[in-house]
Amino acid sequence: MKINLLILLASCFLAISNYAQQSLEISKAKAKEVDAFIKKEMKLQHMPGMAYAVVSNGKTLLRGNYGYASLEYKVPVSDSSRFWIASISKHMTCVAIMLLKQDGVLELDVPIKTYLPDAPETWNDITIRHLMTHTSGLPEYEGLSYSNKINKEYSADEIYENIKKDSLLFKPGEKFSYSDDGMTVLGYIIHKVSGMSFNDFMQQRIFDPSNMQTAYLMDQLVIHPNQVTGYRATKNGVVPDRNSGRFIQEEIQPAGGVFASIDDMIHWDAALNTNLLLTEESKTMMYTPYTLNNGKQTDYGFGWFTTTIDNQLVLYHTGTSGSEFLRLPDKNVSIIVFTNLAKRKHFLSKISDILGYSPDERKDFLEKNRSNITNPKKNEINTLVGHYNLKDIYGLELQIRLITKEDNTTLCIDFGDGETSNELIKLNDNSWIYYSRRFPQSWHSREIRYKQVKNSNPLTLNLILNGKIIGSIEKIGELDSDKN
């Protein structure tokens, strides 16, 4: 009887394991859909090259290489291509800090003057936790203003001395303000506490144990095989991206200096899923949003945008070079996207949607705001549908459409990609809110409200973010009668 019971339990466990494994498999149809989306989007954006992977615990579920690593020499993107991952590097720097914490040689909540005795008095209240969560008050680039100079090597000490001249924007812990300077100070602390160069520490404690065999930190004085060339889009087409980070040579680059291949990142993701580097306690600390002095939470942990959506933990970061990294620990899935076109339209959200991984951001919003939501009248919707010009204070200009779904009772925004899931929700104050199902959202454009300007002619709606008008959409024509 006991043996039969054990066999039954083992069978149940195997069935559950097989189901979990099957649920992570990607069908050929979904793979083709992802491939078609990428090719279409690359063409629309004039994107030189791209590589991506969908992984689970080190197992590759889907991956692909597209286009060119170098347009000049027509070198195709391959598994060996090493992309600049830019700000995705930040969470690696934070992992390095947590390793030192686990070693017992530093604490997160003591003043950084404990480790940098010559730090300015204005930094007295700054802790390592503040630096990792962008709540220190240090500006984004002020101390890095040296980077507009060329043909010079900058030592770690020189960079630190420059940042010491920074003025704080606010008291530590008061606000969230993205700061490369703050991350650079973290790297300098790693250097001083460990007694190693930042590069050596990252190689020995991060890259080597994680089996990131081809990863390295940016070095302008070394030729790195298979390094991808960066580009950016202009009115005259795609041109080489000669940003400041590619002109100078810095000894310390904790805010965004890592180059890596997709294979490197697959190994890195697997390391994060185990206790190879960090304990579970350390990982929980890294993935917890910071709580400001006023009790409000930010959407940022230690080097990660982090939040819980639809009861799922979401970890996400991008890099200015065209990189994206999404981790969904509860689903055991991560998506890595590397491109060599700076500041382009993101791919990751659509890939996540196609594969069915995206938690529904709107679900949480609708639950919290149900009492503020009202059903729109049909004549309201009919008045609003049409072609619009959109302009915002950030310089964005594009044409959009307000359209309806087949039921003619749901108003949606079409940004030109044919999506009809971008629904507008009507609120009691007669404004409409855009809260897309698409995930992960731009962290700077959540919950944008559209409110009609009274007696406007032509019909105009203001774009409102956090109570401030950030732009408008102006109606320029009706939809074609035969289609939305």
Side-chain angles (χ1 to χ4, degrees), residues 68-272:
Y68 292 104
S70 168
L71 289 176
E72 291 87 344
Y73 298 103
K74 299 298 181 185
V75 177
V77 172
S78 70
D79 290 348
S80 301
S81 297
R82 304 180 197 180
F83 289 80
W84 180 30
I85 73 173
S87 285
I88 290 177
S89 311
K90 286 179 169 65
H91 79 274
M92 296 181 181
T93 297
C94 291
V95 170
I97 286 285
M98 296 305 288
L99 289 175
L100 291 174
K101 182 185 183 303
Q102 290 177 175
D103 292 345
V105 296
L106 60 70
E107 294 297 330
L108 305 186
D109 296 311
V110 299
I112 60 175
K113 283 180 75 81
T114 307
Y115 311 106
L116 304 175
D118 61 338
E121 287 188 15
T122 53
W123 294 12
N124 283 353
D125 295 329
I126 297 177
T127 66
I128 288 176
R129 190 184 298 269
H130 288 137
L131 296 174
M132 290 198 288
T133 57
H134 298 294
T135 57
S136 67
L138 286 168
E140 183 168 4
Y141 290 119
E142 186 177 315
L144 302 179
S145 59
Y146 61 81
S147 62
N148 59 11
K149 301 175 183 178
I150 60 174
N151 299 326
K152 176 172 169 47
E153 297 177 55
Y154 291 89
S155 69
D157 289 338
E158 284 180 298
I159 295 170
Y160 173 59
E161 289 301 319
N162 274 328
I163 295 178
K164 281 168 64 176
K165 301 170 187 175
D166 282 356
S167 300
L168 295 190
L169 302 176
F170 48 82
K171 292 180 180 179
E174 194 174 83
K175 298 178 182 179
F176 172 89
S177 183
Y178 198 79
S179 172
D180 276 13
D181 279 10
M183 282 286 165
T184 301
V185 174
L186 275 182
Y188 193 70
I189 290 172
I190 292 168
H191 161 54
K192 297 303 264 187
V193 171
S194 69
M196 303 167 64
S197 73
F198 179 74
N199 283 20
D200 286 346
F201 188 93
M202 294 296 286
Q203 189 66 51
Q204 294 178 31
R205 299 292 301 274
I206 299 291
F207 300 152
D208 287 347
S210 303
N211 197 26
M212 299 174 72
Q213 296 180 11
T214 64
Y216 56 89
L217 283 153
M218 184 186 291
D219 189 334
Q220 308 291 10
L221 304 181
V222 174
I223 294 174
H224 292 284
N226 302 311
Q227 181 169 299
V228 173
T229 303
Y231 301 92
R232 61 186 171 88
T234 71
K235 293 179 180 179
N236 299 318
V238 173
V239 300
D241 180 27
R242 305 304 185 196
N243 59 63
S244 59
R246 296 178 189 271
F247 264 130
I248 63 169
Q249 172 56 23
E250 303 173 48
E251 183 182 353
I252 183 171
Q253 297 189 36
V258 174
F259 276 76
S261 67
I262 284 286
D263 282 335
D264 289 325
M265 293 301 290
I266 291 172
H267 292 306
W268 174 246
D269 183 72
L272 294 177

Side-chain angles (χ1 to χ4, degrees), residues 262-425:
I262 284 286
D263 282 335
D264 289 325
M265 293 301 290
I266 291 172
H267 292 306
W268 174 246
D269 183 72
L272 294 177
N273 283 331
T274 68
N275 295 338
L276 175 69
L277 299 176
L278 297 183
T279 64
E280 290 302 313
E281 180 185 9
S282 292
K283 285 189 279 188
T284 298
M285 293 174 71
M286 284 198 65
Y287 305 157
T288 301
Y290 181 77
T291 301
L292 298 171
N293 297 343
N294 62 9
K296 293 184 178 180
Q297 274 194 340
T298 67
D299 280 325
Y300 207 89
F302 297 172
W304 284 104
F305 287 102
T306 176
T307 189
T308 299
I309 300 171
D310 198 9
N311 295 316
Q312 295 182 52
L313 176 63
V314 177
L315 305 170
Y316 179 63
H317 219 293
T318 62
T320 188
S321 57
S323 56
E324 294 179 89
F325 190 17
L326 169 69
R327 302 190 71 239
L328 300 172
D330 297 324
K331 276 193 167 80
N332 243 359
V333 170
S334 298
I335 305 176
I336 306 150
V337 175
F338 290 162
T339 78
N340 55 353
L341 187 68
K343 297 182 179 179
R344 44 67 189 176
K345 184 179 175 183
H346 293 169
F347 284 71
L348 191 149
S349 59
K350 182 65 174 179
I351 294 173
S352 179
D353 280 352
I354 291 171
L355 299 178
Y357 297 144
S358 303
D360 191 348
E361 291 192 273
R362 287 183 4 126
K363 184 177 178 181
D364 290 339
F365 172 80
L366 292 173
E367 286 298 320
K368 293 174 184 175
N369 295 274
R370 194 159 297 282
S371 61
N372 297 322
I373 296 172
T374 185
N375 291 322
K377 296 177 181 177
K378 191 171 182 180
N379 65 328
E380 289 181 279
I381 292 178
N382 291 338
T383 300
L384 290 173
V385 295
H387 295 274
Y388 289 80
N389 274 334
L390 183 153
K391 294 183 181 180
D392 69 18
I393 60 175
Y394 307 109
L396 178 67
E397 293 188 28
L398 73 159
Q399 287 196 5
I400 65 170
R401 300 188 305 162
L402 296 188
I403 61 178
T404 61
K405 282 191 170 180
E406 291 77 7
D407 59 9
N408 291 322
T409 63
T410 305
L411 189 66
C412 306
I413 303 177
D414 177 13
F415 290 105
D417 54 8
E419 289 290 328
T420 58
S421 60
N422 304 324
E423 297 176 8
L424 283 168
I425 303 166

